[in-house]
């Protein structure tokens, strides 16, 4: 709920594109419980009432308080009043959104109704109250309202959610600060740097992380503070509350997997073909960023219109060539280069970030790949703070570049191999190692479930707490899969859950690095040989999506048939004998 009654300004829903509205409605379907926080207009340097007469930035609102949003707060209601709304803000200097926090949660319908009813009543008061009495009238009503909306923990939230729409091409840099009243010690204040990408998205902060700094059983506040907005920048906020998601409906942030760099006037200053090699000056901050992203498991690549030989000489001279995988240096359109990089890495373009100084090139790329994030060099240093950037450094993330470098070797060897593709795979000595979920591979499995879409047959994401419970369950086999061949290691590339009593494969997740290599066929064959029996046949769950439907054919290819189907969820059962002919391609090691 927002302090929109002071301005009582509404805007047409058309100011937000339809795709964002649809995603907003889908988000509301995922939430079962939510708080109803009251967000109001505040100043980061607030010292009322003295500042009203001493501060040069003071601008009087109709109720006498200081206005810190340019043009106030505009409401954009959904088609139905009870579906909720967005607010449109432009922050003035020192402006911030602030709320007295509470973790009293209501079921989603009740929360929406309370928000809608109280907002409408407050707007009515504002509409018919003279300016001279508006402040006291609203203040009294808000105190009454707080009694019915606030309170302490009655349910434990999953997270604190910020829903937004950023209509610009810039990355908006915000700080989210949460602290108990009266606390000044930095180690007892929760700070989260939030980067708002262009378009519609959410920021989802774990409640467990907040509790490490804040006593949620006492009064505390939440501030949302812009770090780089200018008066002409607009941002829209929707749900900004503590939430609990419905079972199996975790809010999954789209992970970023590859950053593609332009070179001229981006990675370095100068234009090679115009200024010459001697005039090129490398951007040291960006070189450090390339190395930081590499450490986090983000693949760096290049899309540059230049002469490949000259570029390679410069990259070798500065000893950074090794950090770039599948670089594309040619005079072809950059959108084509992006398509080629995505195909060679076998990842979707919506996991890409493009850094390019040219508005034309960014527009050309987005024409062909509208779901890609294309940013200016000025915003590049904000990349490590994106919600979609992996923040946990694991052995897997440290080695990810080497995995893809090995893939380059495989592709070169495959293109010159005389024989069939299957014959080539046989020549690589491909091995699948099967082990159990343990402390050593725990973090990687969490990362894998968040990163994988194409070969995720259930669509589930597993948090650390969920995997910890799975480890304790004696009725579940939690398999962790890794692969290697003569070119090198693939690392941990799969995770599966097998329910023992029901003899059912509940979840099967594979990294895109092993697509097309019969690894999934081999693992299913392993399960069949180990667990299938006539009295209790092996079954498997599969939730079909646009991303995984091609790979879902593996079940029919390995002898399974659909025995039940409901809303896209298919239950397969092994119904015919299969010799699992891929055993001569992939060998199995049980660890």
């Amino acid at each position: 709920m927002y302090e929109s009654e002071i301005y009582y300004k509404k805007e047409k829903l058309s100011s937000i594109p339809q795709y964002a509205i649809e995603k907003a409605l889908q988000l509301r379907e995922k939430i079962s419980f939510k708080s109803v926080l009251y967000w109001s207009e505040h100043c980061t340097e607030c010292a009322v009432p003295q500042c009203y007469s001493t501060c040069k930035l003071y601008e009087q609102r109709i109720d006498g308080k200081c206005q810190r949003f340019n043009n106030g707060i505009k409401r954009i209601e959904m088609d139905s009043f009870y579906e909720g709304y967005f607010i449109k803000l432009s922050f003035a200097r020192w402006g911030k959104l602030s709320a007295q926090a509470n973790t009293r949660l209501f079921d989603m319908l009740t929360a929406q109704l309370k928000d809608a009813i109280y907002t409408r009543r407050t707007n009515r008061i504002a509409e018919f109250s003279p300016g001279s009495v508006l402040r006291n009238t609203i203040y009294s009503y808000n105190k009454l309202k707080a009694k019915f909306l606030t309170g302490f923990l009655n349910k434990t939230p999953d997270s604190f959610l910020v829903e937004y729409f950023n209509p610009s091409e810039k990355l908006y840099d915000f700080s989210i600060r949460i602290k108990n009243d009266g606390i000044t010690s930095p180690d007892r204040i929760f700070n989260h740097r939030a980067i708002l990408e262009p378009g519609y998205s959410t920021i989802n902060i774990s409640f467990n992380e907040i509790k490490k700094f804040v006593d949620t059983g006492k009064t505390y506040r939440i501030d949302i503070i812009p770090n780089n907005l200018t008066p002409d920048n607009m941002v829209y906020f929707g749900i900004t509350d503590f939430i609990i998601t419905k079972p199996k409906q975790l809010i999954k942030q789209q992970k970023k997997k590859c950053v593609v760099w332009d070179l001229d006037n981006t990675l370095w200053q100068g234009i090679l073909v115009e200024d010459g090699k001697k005039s090129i000056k490398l951007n040291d901050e960006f070189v450090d960023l390339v190395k930081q992203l590499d450490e986090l498991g983000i693949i760096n690549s290049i899309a540059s219109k230049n002469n490949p030989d000259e570029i390679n000489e410069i990259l070798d001279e500065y000893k950074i060539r090794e950090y770039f995988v599948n670089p594309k240096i040619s005079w072809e359109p950059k959108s084509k280069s992006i398509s080629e990089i995505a195909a060679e890495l076998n990842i979707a373009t919506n996991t890409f970030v493009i850094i390019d100084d040219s508005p034309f090139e960014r527009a050309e790329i987005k024409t062909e790949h509208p779901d890609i994030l294309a940013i200016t060099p000025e915003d590049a240093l904000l990349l490590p703070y994106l919600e979609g950037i992996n923040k946990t450094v694991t052995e897997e993330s440290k080695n990810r570049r080497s995995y893809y470098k090995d893939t380059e070797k495989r592709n070169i060897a495959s293109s010159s191999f005389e024989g069939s593709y299957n014959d080539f795979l046989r020549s690589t000595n491909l091995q699948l190692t099967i082990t159990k979920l343990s402390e050593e591979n725990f973090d990687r499995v969490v990362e894998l479930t968040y990163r994988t879409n194409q070969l995720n047959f259930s669509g589930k994401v597993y948090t650390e707490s969920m995997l910890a419970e799975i480890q304790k369950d004696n009725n579940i086999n939690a398999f962790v899969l890794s692969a290697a061949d003569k070119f090198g290691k693939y690392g941990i590339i799969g995770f599966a859950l097998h329910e023992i009593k029901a003899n059912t494969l509940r979840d099967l997740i594979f990294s895109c690095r092993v697509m097309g290599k019969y690894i999934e066929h081999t693992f299913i064959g392993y399960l069949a040989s180990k667990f299938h029996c006539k009295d209790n046949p092996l079954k498997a769950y599969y939730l079909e999506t646009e991303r995984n439907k091609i790979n879902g054919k593996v079940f029919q290819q390995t002898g399974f048939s659909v025995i039940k189907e409901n809303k896209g969820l298919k239950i397969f059962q092994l119904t015919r004998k299969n010799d699992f002919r891929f055993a001569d391609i992939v060998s199995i090691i049980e660890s």
Side-chain angles (χ1 to χ4, degrees):
M1 183 183 302
Y2 295 93
E3 190 186 27
S4 58
E5 66 274 358
I6 300 301
Y7 301 99
Y8 198 62
K9 294 178 181 178
K10 289 196 291 186
E11 192 170 296
K12 293 182 179 180
L13 188 62
S14 58
S15 62
I16 298 179
Q18 186 59 35
Y19 89 90
I21 299 299
E22 290 173 0
K23 286 190 174 183
L25 294 175
Q26 290 168 8
L27 173 69
R28 283 148 183 75
E29 288 296 317
K30 294 181 178 180
I31 299 171
S32 56
F33 293 90
K34 133 179 149 55
S35 60
V36 186
L37 303 184
Y38 181 67
W39 293 91
S40 56
E41 180 178 20
H42 275 271
C43 176
T44 57
E45 304 295 324
C46 184
V48 294
Q50 294 88 348
C51 58
Y52 290 169
S53 58
T54 60
C55 182
K56 294 180 179 180
L57 294 180
Y58 172 69
E59 294 182 32
Q60 187 177 27
R61 303 193 316 190
I62 192 172
D63 62 348
K65 291 185 178 180
C66 182
Q67 179 171 312
R68 291 292 84 214
F69 298 149
N70 300 302
N71 303 314
I73 302 174
K74 295 182 179 179
R75 276 173 59 91
I76 299 112
E77 292 179 4
M78 301 281 199
D79 291 330
S80 166
F81 185 81
Y82 297 104
E83 288 175 343
Y85 55 90
F86 282 83
I87 56 151
K88 179 180 179 181
L89 293 182
S90 169
F91 289 79
R93 187 181 177 189
W94 294 351
K96 69 176 182 179
L97 267 177
S98 186
Q100 188 68 48
N102 71 89
T103 44
R104 184 182 179 190
L105 303 180
F106 304 91
D107 66 82
M108 189 60 175
L109 178 60
T110 301
Q112 288 176 298
L113 288 173
K114 285 182 177 291
D115 191 330
I117 291 168
Y118 284 119
T119 297
R120 177 160 286 181
R121 285 178 180 171
T122 316
N123 282 341
R124 289 295 185 190
I125 294 172
E127 189 178 8
F128 295 107
S129 296
S132 59
V133 299
L134 178 61
R135 180 176 181 174
N136 289 334
T137 306
I138 294 294
Y139 177 76
S140 300
Y141 183 72
N142 282 342
K143 283 189 67 176
L144 178 65
K145 179 171 58 180
K147 292 182 180 180
F148 297 98
L149 295 179
T150 62
F152 296 116
L153 203 65
N154 61 330
K155 292 179 182 294
T156 302
D158 295 330
S159 60
F160 175 68
L161 179 77
V162 178
E163 178 189 30
Y164 67 86
F165 174 70
N166 173 1
S168 82
E169 292 185 348
K170 284 189 62 61
L171 298 180
Y172 287 166
D173 184 8
F174 276 82
S175 293
I176 298 176
R177 183 180 64 197
I178 307 176
K179 73 182 191 74
N180 289 110
D181 294 348
I183 294 297
T184 57
S185 175
D187 61 356
R188 294 182 62 191
I189 299 174
F190 176 82
N191 284 293
H192 181 86
R193 193 168 181 180
I195 308 301
L196 278 59
E197 298 180 32
Y200 173 91
S201 194
T202 59
I203 295 162
N204 208 31
I205 304 171
S206 167
F207 186 67
N208 288 333
E209 287 299 310
I210 295 170
K211 286 200 302 181
K212 293 176 182 177
F213 297 85
V214 179
D215 184 347
T216 56
K218 297 179 180 178
T219 56
Y220 61 105
R221 293 194 70 82
I222 306 178
D223 293 324
I224 300 178
I225 308 166
N227 297 322
N228 71 339
L229 293 187
T230 57
D232 60 338
N233 293 150
M234 289 289 178
V235 63
Y236 298 73
F237 288 104
I239 293 174
T240 314
D241 286 286
F242 292 102
I243 64 163
I244 296 176
T245 55
K246 294 177 182 177
K248 304 178 183 179
Q249 290 290 318
L250 288 176
I251 297 170
K252 183 177 180 180
Q253 186 73 29
Q254 180 62 59
K255 290 296 180 182
K256 304 302 179 187
K257 299 180 181 181
C258 181
V259 174
V260 181
W261 293 82
D262 174 43
L263 297 179
D264 293 332
N265 286 333
T266 300
L267 190 64
W268 56 58
Q269 294 304 310
I271 300 175
L272 182 61
V273 295
E274 295 179 6
D275 304 327
K277 180 179 172 182
K278 291 183 179 179
S279 65
I280 295 299
K281 179 175 173 49
L282 207 63
N283 189 321
D284 292 335
E285 283 188 312
F286 287 174
V287 173
D288 291 340
L289 177 59
V290 166
K291 295 177 180 179
Q292 182 184 1
L293 294 170
D294 181 77
E295 184 82 2
L296 293 171
I298 307 300
I299 297 301
N300 290 280
S301 189
I302 292 171
S304 175
K305 290 182 176 179
N306 265 301
N307 183 323
D309 293 335
E310 286 185 283
I311 295 298
N312 289 332
E313 285 179 14
I314 295 173
L315 297 177
D316 284 334
E317 182 179 329
Y318 287 107
K319 299 179 180 179
I320 57 173
R321 185 177 175 183
E322 64 181 297
Y323 288 97
F324 298 100
V325 178
N326 298 99
K328 299 300 171 189
I329 302 163
S330 71
W331 298 101
E332 296 280 357
K334 289 192 177 181
S335 59
K336 182 181 178 183
S337 296
I338 299 304
S339 297
E340 291 173 355
I341 295 170
E344 290 167 9
L345 296 179
N346 202 13
I347 57 179
T349 55
N350 65 352
T351 65
F352 277 54
V353 179
I354 311 302
I355 305 173
D356 200 304
D357 68 299
S358 167
F360 171 83
E361 298 293 357
R362 295 196 304 271
E364 191 274 328
I365 291 169
K366 286 191 71 68
T367 299
E368 293 298 318
H369 307 288
D371 54 356
I372 216 163
L373 175 57
I375 64 173
T376 66
E378 289 75 20
D379 283 339
L381 293 178
L382 296 175
L383 280 181
Y385 304 100
L386 280 180
E387 297 298 306
I389 294 289
N390 178 51
K391 305 298 192 297
T392 304
V393 179
T394 64
E395 284 302 311
E396 193 77 18
S397 59
K398 289 179 182 178
N399 293 322
R400 188 163 286 120
R401 170 165 48 94
S402 67
Y403 297 149
Y404 280 107
K405 288 288 188 181
D406 290 340
T407 298
E408 283 186 90
K409 298 175 189 174
R410 293 183 187 100
N411 292 338
I412 293 171
S414 175
S415 64
S416 61
F417 184 82
E418 294 183 2
S420 70
Y421 176 67
N422 283 2
D423 287 339
F424 170 73
L425 288 180
R426 290 185 185 94
S427 75
T428 65
N429 302 323
L430 187 56
Q431 295 177 332
L432 170 65
T433 300
I434 302 172
T435 186
K436 292 292 185 73
L437 181 64
S438 65
E439 294 304 316
E440 288 74 20
N441 53 43
F442 191 92
D443 289 341
R444 167 55 181 160
V445 171
V446 174
E447 180 189 35
L448 184 66
T449 69
Y450 271 93
R451 288 174 62 90
T452 305
N453 291 301
Q454 295 183 66
L455 278 170
N456 186 331
F457 293 123
S458 71
K460 289 183 184 177
V461 175
Y462 288 91
T463 62
E464 292 181 13
S465 59
M466 292 166 71
L467 286 174
E469 290 300 314
I470 286 169
Q471 276 188 298
K472 299 174 187 176
D473 194 333
N474 294 326
N475 187 42
I476 293 179
N477 286 316
F479 294 108
V480 178
L481 315 173
S482 57
D485 62 16
K486 70 179 184 181
F487 295 100
K489 295 180 179 179
Y490 288 92
I492 294 174
I493 46 78
F495 176 62
L497 293 180
H498 171 253
E499 189 177 335
I500 298 171
K501 291 180 181 178
N503 198 15
T504 301
L505 179 61
R506 292 281 185 182
D507 287 278
L508 182 59
I509 298 169
F510 281 101
S511 166
C512 57
R513 292 203 298 271
V514 294
M515 282 178 64
K517 294 178 173 62
Y518 304 117
I519 294 287
E520 62 270 38
H521 300 74
T522 302
F523 177 70
I524 291 173
Y526 164 83
L527 288 182
S529 65
K530 199 170 184 69
F531 299 109
H532 180 65
C533 62
K534 185 177 180 181
D535 295 334
N536 190 11
L538 179 64
K539 293 173 284 294
Y541 278 33
Y542 164 53
L543 181 63
E544 183 176 300
T545 67
E546 282 299 313
R547 299 296 306 280
N548 71 20
K549 66 181 181 182
I550 294 177
N551 304 101
K553 295 178 181 178
V554 65
F555 293 109
Q556 291 98 329
Q557 292 167 353
T558 50
F560 286 78
S561 299
V562 177
I563 60 172
K564 190 175 181 180
E565 184 173 2
N566 183 28
K567 295 181 179 179
L569 176 64
K570 297 180 180 180
I571 301 178
F572 284 94
Q573 183 171 299
L574 188 58
T575 55
R576 60 185 171 83
K577 187 177 179 180
N578 194 306
D579 59 5
F580 296 102
R581 58 193 179 280
F582 309 108
D584 65 329
I585 295 178
V586 184
S587 60
I588 295 174
I589 300 173
E590 288 189 75
S591 173

